[in-house]
Amino acid sequence: MTALAKIVHTAPEIEAEPDLTDGFHLVIDALKLNEIETIYGVPGIPITDLGRMAQASGMRVVSFRHEQHAGNAAAIAGFLTQKPGICLTVSAPGFLNGLTALANATTNCFPMILISGSSEREIVDLQQGDYEEMDQLAIAKPLCKAAFRVLHAADIGIGIARAIRAACSGRPGGVYLDLPAKLFSQVMEAEAGQKSLVKVIDPAPAQRPAPEAITRALDVLKSARRPLIVLGKGAAYAQADEAIRALVETSGIPYVPMSMAKGLLPDTHPLSAGAARSTALKDSDVVLLVGARLNWLLSHGKGKSWGEPGSTKFIQIDIEPREMDSNVEIVAPVVGDIASCVQALLDGMGQGWQQPPADWIDTLRTKREANIAKMAPKLMSNASPMTFHAALGALRTIVKERPDAILVNEGANTLDLARGIIDMYQPRKRLDVGTWGIMGIGMGFAVAAAIETGKPVLCVEGDSAFGFSGMEIETICRYGLPVCIVVFNNNGIYRGTDADPTGRDPATTVFVKDSRYDKMIEAFGGDGYHVTSPDELTRAVNAAMDSGRPSLVNAVIDPAAGSESGNIGSLNPQSGIKKKK
Ligand code: ADP
Ligand code: TPW
Ligand code: MG
């Protein structure tokens, strides 16, 4: 009786099967709905099919040789586009490889999302030794801005929306999204799946500054005798280029660009005090920080790089309220997004704005011209082997002639000297080691710069720096990207001249002498060049950039020319034990 009733009750009705979707497709649909078209990653269990399906759906899926470089690519894609760059990795080891890039993105305020597949929760939480077992969410949490896990296919839309919002709103940063393997094969009705997706409306809402904050800031600026604007990479990120130019030119206040803010206004601008940086910081009485933190890169706003304690008043524009007073007192905090804040300052300046005293402008101009004149002969040197200055003098001309190329730069001497010597002419064209001074961003940044902008890329790399991501030249060749890498080959870290005092091993800072990095790219079908003079360097880089092909120029630099740690040797701790005379 019961059995019969059951059969009758469950007799199949003639009904069309509903269309189904699954976790794989929902992740892809959610990204595409939010206009995210590119994924940087490395395939493997459990995300191999996710990459394949994303590619089949028309997304650009760029596969790297190591997750750290995929992560760096995603991070700089975020910086360049204001949309979170996506890095996709496998569980435990792949996740950990991507984590350095996620932490670095967070430190630099770049929006990115690291999406990692993960193992079965039930097994991971009982620590029963699953395949690539790791509690990834817990590990990621302290190293990024936010971390989420999605357990149900119906929550994928919300999970991705939360990740996008967390990455882009307020101070941008890195977000971790944990997607357990089981999620991808979960099935649900397609219509319900589609409805569960969320299009993030206005992911980085404007944050207008309080009118009193603007009045306060203008009052302080008006009182200045020697005002200075410092532009940081937050200003570059904000894409408020016209407003920032107008602020500088209307106010008549000289400015110093931080490394990745170079080119926001051309470095040749008459109000650029970049080449008189030390004087500008030390002698200014009011400093307006625009998207630049008073961290180590600005000597924390105090000490011998600055004037007497208390003699410099700081005004700071930043979207992050807690940045104010982080190192020294900020007399006029302006909390809000840079575009709104700069516009409000401009509006407040109005007609009657007084330009800064002429003697301040003259002091900086004279200093700048003197510094440039002092440097000029070094840039022309024809010494063999090449000095850093001579090689950079050649590249400086090339960048001047190709201002829309993107410059990627890492190393120690190769970084610090290139930053000072190579003028930039357009916003967001200089990408480098950022707040941590991290080595290894080179090839990842180059790939994303080429893919996101379609522009040619010139990488200026120390030989050590290049080694951190060098295998990705295969990626550059595979995707046929217009990237020209110049390796400043001085046989080592800082210099190639150290020796092991015991005579047993190579010194800790040196590499194989006269390595032929140019031959590495030839192995993958790219073009290699080997150059020993500035003229040869110029010819090779121009040929490489004209060809638009993946190329590597091995530039032989005097192994004795560099200094320890480039410009920041003073940060090296010294032994407390005095040497016996
Ligand atoms: P730099 O290294 O060039 O000096 P930092 O990375 O130290 O620059 O500082 C960048 C700052 O810019 C961060 O404090 C960040 O909160 C801020 N920022 C980023 N985007 C915006 C924005 N759109 N509006 C306001 N501030 C921003
Ligand atoms: C992830 C420490 C700072 S600079 C540098 C290292 C190893 C390399 C300098 O040599 P290079 O440049 O590139 O040949 P040059 O022109 O002076 O010879 N690990 C990480 N990040 C950092 N910053 C280091 C180590 C470092
Ligand atoms: Mg070197």
Side-chain angles (χ1 to χ4, degrees):
M1 169 66 196
T2 22
L4 181 67
K6 197 171 171 192
I7 289 165
V8 170
H9 190 69
T10 57
E13 286 166 39
I14 311 297
E15 199 181 90
E17 276 230 345
D19 279 344
L20 298 178
T21 187
D22 63 10
F24 287 115
H25 290 92
L26 287 166
V27 171
I28 294 163
D29 291 347
L31 292 174
K32 290 178 92 171
L33 179 66
N34 285 289
E35 287 153 19
I36 292 174
E37 294 295 339
T38 309
I39 294 176
Y40 301 94
V42 176
I45 295 171
I47 48 92
T48 315
D49 273 349
L50 182 63
R52 287 196 184 109
M53 290 178 193
Q55 188 171 53
S57 82
M59 289 186 85
R60 198 96 197 259
V61 183
V62 183
S63 279
F64 281 72
R65 304 299 292 257
H66 187 292
E67 293 85 352
Q68 188 175 122
H69 313 309
N72 286 328
I76 211 66
F79 171 76
L80 289 168
T81 65
Q82 298 182 326
K83 279 194 263 176
I86 306 293
C87 175
L88 180 64
T89 80
V90 303
S91 22
F95 157 78
L96 285 174
N97 284 345
L99 200 54
T100 305
L102 184 70
N104 188 54
T106 308
T107 298
N108 283 283
C109 316
F110 300 156
M112 81 171 268
I113 304 173
L114 174 66
I115 302 181
S116 295
S118 58
S119 310
E120 299 312 330
R121 293 277 5 119
E122 296 83 342
I123 306 180
V124 173
D125 288 347
L126 274 170
Q127 298 168 35
Q128 293 173 314
D130 201 3
Y131 168 71
E132 296 193 348
E133 175 178 298
M134 177 172 275
D135 188 357
Q136 296 168 195
L137 188 74
I139 290 165
K141 229 173 224 169
L143 298 173
C144 59
K145 206 179 152 188
F148 305 104
R149 176 185 295 132
V150 181
L151 290 175
H152 302 294
D155 291 332
I156 286 173
I158 284 292
I160 288 187
R162 296 210 72 186
I164 293 172
R165 229 176 241 296
C168 297
S169 60
R171 170 181 280 174
V175 174
Y176 176 61
L177 188 61
D178 193 80
L179 302 184
K182 265 189 193 167
L183 178 77
F184 295 111
S185 47
Q186 273 180 35
V187 168
M188 68 185 287
E189 282 191 16
E191 199 184 321
Q194 215 51 41
K195 283 193 184 136
S196 73
L197 302 183
V198 176
K199 168 127 177 94
V200 179
I201 310 295
D202 198 8
Q207 281 181 233
R208 302 214 161 73
E212 1 7 315
I214 293 296
T215 312
R216 195 189 297 120
L218 285 170
D219 285 346
V220 178
L221 264 189
K222 279 180 205 154
S223 74
R225 307 275 316 148
R226 296 178 306 283
L228 179 71
I229 294 174
V230 174
L231 301 174
K233 61 171 122 57
Y237 174 77
Q239 298 193 15
D241 308 336
E242 286 315 310
I244 288 170
R245 179 192 271 270
L247 177 72
V248 170
E249 292 180 348
T250 307
S251 70
I253 299 175
Y255 71 96
V256 166
M258 300 300 286
S259 195
M260 282 177 61
K262 274 167 69 79
L264 212 42
L265 289 87
D267 281 332
T268 47
H269 194 283
L271 285 168
S272 169
R277 189 179 193 270
S278 308
T279 308
L281 298 193
K282 205 166 182 47
D283 292 352
S284 52
D285 62 352
V286 170
V287 175
L288 168 60
L289 300 161
V290 185
R293 287 170 284 188
L294 278 179
N295 57 17
W296 70 281
L297 287 157
L298 283 168
S299 310
H300 305 280
K302 56 197 174 193
K304 59 182 183 341
S305 301
W306 296 90
E308 292 301 307
S311 67
T312 319
K313 289 186 182 147
F314 289 100
I315 306 166
Q316 183 162 27
I317 300 180
D318 205 291
I319 201 151
E320 173 56 65
R322 286 179 304 173
E323 189 55 40
M324 308 298 155
D325 309 320
S326 60
N327 284 271
V328 293
E329 182 192 39
I330 302 298
V331 301
V334 182
V335 175
D337 72 274
I338 285 168
S340 303
C341 295
V342 168
Q343 193 54 51
L345 284 178
L346 268 170
D347 295 346
M349 280 176 183
Q351 294 299 318
W353 178 259
Q354 291 266 324
Q355 304 256 325
D359 59 347
W360 172 233
I361 306 292
D362 287 345
T363 305
L364 292 178
R365 186 184 301 131
T366 310
K367 188 73 198 166
R368 164 185 163 158
E369 282 165 8
N371 285 345
I372 289 173
K374 206 164 106 192
M375 175 100 84
K378 291 192 195 168
L379 303 184
M380 316 277 284
S381 158
N382 251 327
S384 182
M386 277 189 283
T387 60
F388 282 98
H389 284 85
L392 289 167
L395 296 182
R396 170 188 213 258
T397 306
I398 289 172
V399 171
K400 187 175 180 184
E401 290 164 356
R402 300 172 187 268
D404 71 337
I406 295 183
L407 180 72
V408 173
N409 189 199
E410 59 179 334
N413 294 279
T414 305
L415 175 90
D416 290 336
L417 294 169
R419 191 200 302 116
I421 292 170
I422 301 181
D423 286 332
M424 304 305 298
Y425 300 88
Q426 296 178 13
R428 293 170 294 284
K429 295 294 188 185
R430 189 188 149 82
L431 311 175
D432 68 25
V433 300
T435 305
W436 269 348
I438 192 169
M439 297 299 113
I441 47 84
M443 299 306 107
F445 278 17
V447 169
I451 290 205
E452 300 288 337
T453 69
K455 302 285 183 204
V457 180
L458 175 64
C459 299
V460 179
E461 301 271 317
D463 50 347
S464 164
F466 172 70
F468 284 74
S469 66
M471 191 64 207
E472 301 297 347
I473 56 177
E474 189 276 329
T475 308
I476 290 168
C477 290
R478 188 165 14 108
Y479 288 87
L481 300 175
V483 175
C484 170
I485 303 147
V486 180
V487 175
F488 273 44
N489 189 356
N490 63 346
N491 292 343
I493 298 177
Y494 316 139
R495 272 189 306 267
T497 48
D498 282 3
D500 172 1
T502 72
R504 182 173 55 187
D505 280 327
T508 56
T509 53
V510 303
F511 300 138
V512 168
K513 296 228 177 309
D514 307 326
S515 295
R516 293 293 301 268
Y517 295 101
D518 48 313
K519 294 196 186 281
M520 289 173 67
I521 202 160
E522 289 173 357
F524 305 115
D527 299 337
Y529 301 81
H530 176 74
V531 303
T532 57
S533 73
D535 286 349
E536 282 175 9
L537 176 62
T538 299
R539 276 198 297 277
V541 175
N542 276 324
M545 296 196 76
D546 286 343
S547 76
R549 284 173 43 76
S551 10
L552 191 153
V553 181
N554 181 47
V556 177
I557 303 287
D558 183 353
S563 51
E564 179 94 354
S565 302
N567 277 357
I568 55 172
S570 60
L571 297 182
N572 278 311
Q574 301 294 316
S575 169
I577 306 169
K578 291 224 168 66
K579 277 197 193 124
K580 285 200 187 111
K581 290 247 164 87

